[in-house]
Amino acid sequence: MPEAPPWRRFGRQDTQQGAVPSDPHRPYLIDQPQIDVVNAALHLRRPLLVTGHPGTGKSSLAYAIAHEMDLGKVLRWPVNSRSTLAEALYQYDAVGRLRETTLSHDQGDQPPDIGRFIRLGPLGTALLPGDRPRVLLVDELDKGDVDLPNDLLTVFEEGEFEIPELSRLPAGQDEALVHTTSGTNPQPVVAGFVRCREFPVVVITSNGEREFPPAFLRRCLRLHLPDPDEHRLRAIIGAHLGQDSVPQLDDLIQTFLARRAPGELATDQLLNAAHLRLGGVDLDAEGLLEAVLHQLGGAV
């Protein structure tokens, strides 16, 4: 197999060290006006609502922030039409607890701790108290239910939420170790409340499929990522594939710019074509360039 493109290389087991790398860092380039908005959101501890056409780097921004600020692995919540706030906060396996409790009773053992059956979701994990914030990516919020943005308001304002199954425990027995979505060691929750010390870095992406309510927009800082121009495209290719490769790709860049209409081609399609060209693949072969630089809109 040929070597994968840099942006398609995932966590690999290090046979010598036995370590699995976390989110790989990929080059990320934006202009100073966009950097200023990101910095403002960090200073104000407000969610960042990022819009732009497909391929402009909306989701990648969260990983770039986590890398630049050394905030650990990004917690990702991919939103779809069935997503709810509850599942993003935590999940409680009541059936599993009943089964394990019954089995323990039959064997004369102590019932298992309730915390074993609670797992925090990405948003719930991001709100755990810590000395440094976590980065939470709420990906494609506009695909969710129309009421989901309003459901998020209280959590974003208060920085806390309640787990009723734990808050009902008697005093003195109200601390439980719960699992997290990041797979780290179980974390303690006291009296059923999870309350952050540092509000997480929240990056919310939207493709513009739905308008958000004013109350939600008022609590976010908005950042629109424009389609990169020719200068930016050359810089992106150089960052990913090396500056020496850019002069070899002039015709591909011009073809991409000639075909691109707003929202119709994405930057990663150009990177795919560039990687194939540098790997010796004949992009002039019939249909290959069309397959790589295909339009994103319309029927397939």
Side-chain angles (χ1 to χ4, degrees):
M1 290 291 292
E3 184 69 21
W7 53 91
R8 293 295 295 170
R9 297 172 190 170
F10 305 98
R12 299 177 181 178
Q13 182 77 24
D14 188 327
T15 56
Q16 295 182 347
Q17 301 296 329
V20 178
S22 58
D23 297 333
H25 172 61
R26 302 179 180 94
Y28 192 84
L29 304 176
I30 55 175
D31 294 323
Q32 190 60 47
Q34 288 83 45
I35 295 175
D36 292 340
V37 176
V38 173
N39 287 335
L42 296 176
H43 280 286
L44 296 173
R45 306 301 198 271
R46 286 292 185 181
L48 188 65
L49 177 59
V50 187
T51 59
H53 293 133
T56 52
K58 299 186 296 295
S59 300
S60 300
L61 177 59
Y63 295 91
I65 294 173
H67 173 78
E68 293 295 332
M69 302 187 66
D70 194 22
L71 296 178
K73 188 173 183 178
V74 174
L75 300 167
R76 180 172 177 262
W77 178 24
V79 176
N80 57 51
S81 59
R82 299 178 300 278
S83 297
T84 63
L85 174 62
E87 71 177 24
L89 293 174
Y90 77 97
Q91 292 181 332
Y92 171 54
D93 185 5
V95 175
R97 185 189 180 199
L98 176 62
R99 181 175 61 248
E100 292 293 327
T101 300
T102 302
L103 182 61
S104 298
H105 181 269
D106 293 342
Q107 295 177 347
D109 298 329
Q110 290 293 324
D113 185 80
I114 187 175
R116 287 178 48 188
F117 305 97
I118 293 177
R119 180 176 295 276
L120 300 181
L123 177 54
T125 301
L127 292 173
L128 282 170
D131 295 331
R132 306 200 70 193
R134 297 292 300 271
V135 177
L136 172 68
L137 171 60
V138 183
D139 214 5
E140 299 186 335
L141 181 61
D142 53 324
K143 292 187 181 300
D145 184 81
V146 66
D147 292 325
L148 185 56
N150 283 326
D151 294 340
L152 288 167
L153 290 180
T154 300
V155 176
F156 283 165
E157 281 297 295
E158 304 298 333
E160 67 177 22
F161 69 96
E162 180 185 8
I163 303 177
E165 292 82 1
L166 298 182
S167 60
R168 291 194 291 262
L169 297 176
Q173 304 176 26
D174 56 355
E175 180 174 339
L177 293 174
V178 302
H179 298 281
T180 68
T181 193
S182 55
T184 57
N185 294 330
Q187 299 296 309
V189 174
V190 179
F193 278 91
V194 176
R195 182 179 296 110
C196 67
R197 286 202 294 267
E198 285 287 344
F199 189 76
V201 178
V202 181
V203 177
I204 303 170
T205 70
S206 170
N207 289 320
E209 295 185 10
R210 172 180 296 150
E211 293 185 358
F212 296 122
F216 176 80
L217 294 176
R218 181 171 63 84
R219 290 165 170 84
C220 300
L221 267 71
R222 302 181 67 174
L223 172 64
H224 181 77
L225 296 179
D227 294 327
D229 57 15
E230 181 176 351
H231 175 74
R232 176 62 71 199
L233 288 174
R234 291 179 179 276
I236 291 173
I237 292 175
H240 283 276
L241 300 174
Q243 293 295 337
D244 294 341
S245 66
V246 178
Q248 308 174 47
L249 304 168
D250 284 340
D251 60 324
L252 278 181
I253 295 173
Q254 295 306 320
T255 299
F256 178 84
L257 290 170
R259 291 182 174 209
R260 185 178 70 177
E264 290 297 325
L265 287 178
T267 305
D268 58 349
Q269 292 175 285
L270 175 59
L271 288 172
N272 290 337
H275 177 75
L276 291 176
R277 167 69 64 79
L278 297 174
V281 177
D282 181 13
L283 283 178
D284 295 327
E286 182 179 357
L288 184 54
L289 185 60
E290 187 66 31
V292 177
L293 297 182
H294 61 85
Q295 297 294 319
L296 300 180
V300 177

